[in-house]
């Protein structure tokens, strides 16, 4: 209740910035016994601390490290909401490898399976960083028709793979509904069309350069 009140207060004078909210929450955490510093007892507190620690970091590259320091100070395992917040910070700061590690090592399971929200964020994080191959590995490892990821996660792979591997984009688009139980949307087709167009232009450019080079060699 205290965390909710701090995050949603309308008292601008007392809590006008993320810094003030962070300081108040950090003060609460500092007074807690070590045995209370776990997600079962105070999960919302740690989720809020992660959010505000990243928000107040003076430089973008410090956002991840500030939040990770708090995340690693947790006693016991992180719950789903805390892990989701940490993964969001990974996504915002381009820490794709760290997001993969966090997903693999997380204890966020339901019937022995990784949280789908965590998987969605990890896939999007890898795709945004250009590592669509790693995103695809996560999809194959944890996704499936009975474990459907979001269409936004699948679209992120289609878009990221396009410039380098349009065949991957086309195949994933065709497999979305049958293999992953997700119906493609307008953006899915748009990303795929762009991927094919990029591949075609790249081929034409390569062919033109080959022809030009062959023509210049005839002068010798």
């Amino acid at each position: 209740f205290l965390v909710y009140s701090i995050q949603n207060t309308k008292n601008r004078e007392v809590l006008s910035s993320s810094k003030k909210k962070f300081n108040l929450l950090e003060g609460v955490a500092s007074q807690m016994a070590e045995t209370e510093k776990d997600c079962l007892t105070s999960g919302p507190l740690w989720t809020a601390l992660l959010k505000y620690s990243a928000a107040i970091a003076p430089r973008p590259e410090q956002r991840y490290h500030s939040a990770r320091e708090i995340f690693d100070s947790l006693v016991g395992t992180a719950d789903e909401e805390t892990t989701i917040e940490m993964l969001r910070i990974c996504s915002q700061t381009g820490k794709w490898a760290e997001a993969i590690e966090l997903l693999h090592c997380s204890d966020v399971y339901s019937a022995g399976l990784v949280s789908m929200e965590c998987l969605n964020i990890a896939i999007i994080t890898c795709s945004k960083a250009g590592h669509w191959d790693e995103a695809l590995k996560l999809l194959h490892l944890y996704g499936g028709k009975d474990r459907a990821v979001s269409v936004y996660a699948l679209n992120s792979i289609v878009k990221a793979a396009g410039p380098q591997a349009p065949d991957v984009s086309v195949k994933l688009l065709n497999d979305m509904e049958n293999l992953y139980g997700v119906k493609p949307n307008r953006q899915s087709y748009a990303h795929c069309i762009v991927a094919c167009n990029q591949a075609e232009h790249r081929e034409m450019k390569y062919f033109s350069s080959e022809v030009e080079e062959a023509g210049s060699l005839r002068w010798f």
Side-chain angles (χ1 to χ4, degrees):
F1 178 76
L2 173 63
V3 175
Y4 177 83
S5 299
I6 290 174
Q7 292 192 86
N8 295 280
T9 183
K10 297 185 183 299
N11 188 335
R12 296 183 181 178
E13 186 177 343
V14 177
L15 298 171
S16 58
S17 68
S18 295
K19 177 66 174 175
K20 289 180 179 178
K21 292 179 181 180
F22 175 79
N23 287 341
L24 278 171
L25 292 170
E26 188 179 41
V28 173
S30 67
Q31 299 300 315
M32 295 170 65
E34 282 299 310
T35 54
E36 296 175 320
K37 295 180 179 180
D38 66 303
C39 284
L40 185 62
T41 305
S42 51
L45 172 68
W46 298 107
T47 302
L49 278 170
L50 291 176
K51 175 183 176 181
Y52 293 124
S53 68
I56 66 176
R59 290 189 294 274
E61 62 268 21
Q62 291 181 325
R63 297 182 66 190
Y64 169 80
H65 297 292
S66 297
R68 189 59 197 244
E69 188 176 344
I70 292 172
F71 185 84
D72 290 339
S73 71
L74 276 168
V75 174
T77 57
D79 62 9
E80 183 174 13
E81 289 306 313
T82 307
T83 304
I84 286 172
E85 188 60 42
M86 191 65 233
L87 281 167
R88 282 177 180 155
I89 293 167
C90 287
S91 185
Q92 293 162 4
T93 55
K95 298 290 185 180
W96 63 273
E98 289 80 355
I100 292 175
E101 180 186 7
L102 185 60
L103 182 72
H104 287 324
C105 298
S106 71
D107 291 286
V108 184
Y109 295 97
S110 174
L113 299 171
V114 170
S115 156
M116 295 310 294
E117 183 62 23
C118 290
L119 177 59
N120 284 330
I121 297 172
I123 287 174
I124 292 171
T125 300
C126 291
S127 297
K128 279 172 57 180
H131 294 276
W132 56 267
D133 51 334
E134 296 294 338
L136 208 55
K137 288 177 187 176
L138 293 178
L139 177 63
H140 292 159
L141 184 61
Y142 296 121
K145 196 165 187 177
D146 57 337
R147 296 281 295 164
V149 299
S150 72
V151 68
Y152 304 105
L154 292 175
N155 285 350
S156 73
I157 302 176
V158 172
K159 181 179 180 179
Q164 297 174 317
D167 54 320
V168 172
S169 295
V170 173
K171 185 177 187 311
L172 183 55
L173 178 68
N174 291 333
D175 289 343
M176 271 191 189
E177 203 158 2
N178 291 332
L179 292 186
Y180 302 109
V182 178
K183 189 173 182 179
N185 61 14
R186 183 177 179 180
Q187 206 63 43
S188 309
Y189 292 102
H191 288 327
C192 199
I193 290 170
V194 169
C196 292
N197 286 341
Q198 287 176 329
E200 184 180 359
H201 287 308
R202 192 163 51 249
E203 254 185 62
M204 290 175 63
K205 187 176 180 180
Y206 175 77
F207 179 74
S208 298
S209 65
E210 288 288 301
V211 171
E212 186 177 339
E213 184 179 346
S216 64
L217 288 175
R218 283 199 292 268
W219 290 97
F220 293 94

